[in-house]
Amino acid sequence: MQQTGAVTAEHPGRLRFRRLGPGTRLAFPQGTVFGEEWIELGDHCIIAEQVTLTAGMLPGLDLGPDAVLSLGDGVVLGRGSHVVADAAVTIGSDTFCGPYVYITSTNHSYDDPDEPVGRQWPRSAPVEIGPGCWLGTGAVILPGARLGRNVVVAAGAVVRGEVPDHAVVAGAPARVVRRWDAVSGWQPPLRTPAPVPVPEGVTPRQLAALAELDLEEA
């Protein structure tokens, strides 16, 4: 069922995206999807189960000539995530999102104290997430947020405003807790050693054999 229900460029089903790149896959079951004519999905993206992708406030609107929701190449959206694009939302290539991440370009307003909040006209502002970012489980990206390149958003953080390149943000509201620059490196310094890269020429079979050896020794 999951194999048959998945959406790809070769098997788009009922969904007619503005662009659905080769190698991109929407797992089954999909979440709410509408406004596909204004949604562009790059190459080799992974959209997990129950992910919501919407362009426009409701189905059936004419949103104009340009894309409203754009994913670069290699974007990963974890299970149960939501990307709600009433105004433009752009997610850069190779950005990974954990489960249940919420990205929205629209938020409720509460200007009138006598009117229920849900009945007041919402406010919208474009969202831009740079390439190479990591958004942890349950992170929330609010309207008007602009994240730079290779930004890390901690699990549960609520982000608004601008975040510079190579920054780590955490909290609600999110604040910068660590940054990198070419002179000082990471400040505050990282508390764990850098991962050791896999040597060139090592095959997947050799790595699997090493993993089995570790288990035997344990």
Side-chain angles (χ1 to χ4, degrees), residues 75-213:
V75 171
V76 175
L77 298 178
R79 178 187 177 93
S81 292
H82 290 64
V83 184
V84 179
D86 295 347
V89 173
T90 304
I91 302 177
S93 295
D94 299 313
T95 284
F96 284 38
C97 299
Y100 307 107
V101 168
Y102 192 87
I103 301 168
T104 181
S105 59
T106 297
N107 208 352
H108 291 287
S109 60
Y110 49 89
D111 301 68
D112 187 344
D114 298 319
E115 185 73 15
V117 173
R119 295 182 179 273
Q120 298 188 43
W121 196 253
R123 286 190 170 90
S124 298
V127 170
E128 183 177 345
I129 298 173
C133 294
W134 164 249
L135 280 59
T137 300
V140 177
I141 311 298
L142 293 175
R146 294 182 62 191
L147 280 62
R149 182 184 187 88
N150 284 30
V151 168
V152 175
V153 178
V158 179
V159 182
R160 62 182 305 172
E162 295 202 20
V163 179
D165 294 349
H166 306 293
V168 180
V169 295
R175 63 182 182 87
V176 175
V177 296
R178 179 173 277 123
R179 288 193 65 180
W180 179 92
D181 66 57
V183 175
S184 304
W186 286 105
Q187 294 298 326
L190 298 175
R191 289 177 288 184
T192 55
V196 178
V198 176
E200 287 189 25
V202 175
T203 67
R205 179 171 293 184
Q206 289 171 326
L207 288 174
L210 285 173
E212 291 177 3
L213 185 61

Side-chain angles (χ1 to χ4, degrees), residues 9-55:
E10 295 76 21
H11 303 283
R14 63 175 179 80
L15 299 175
R16 295 293 182 264
F17 290 101
R18 183 185 184 97
R19 182 174 188 272
L20 180 54
T24 288
R25 181 183 181 89
L26 285 75
F28 177 86
Q30 290 90 41
T32 300
V33 179
F34 62 75
E36 308 97 279
E37 295 176 55
W38 292 273
I39 298 176
E40 293 183 340
L41 306 179
D43 301 350
H44 303 289
C45 296
I46 299 173
I47 314 298
E49 298 176 12
Q50 299 289 359
V51 169
T52 290
L53 298 171
T54 62

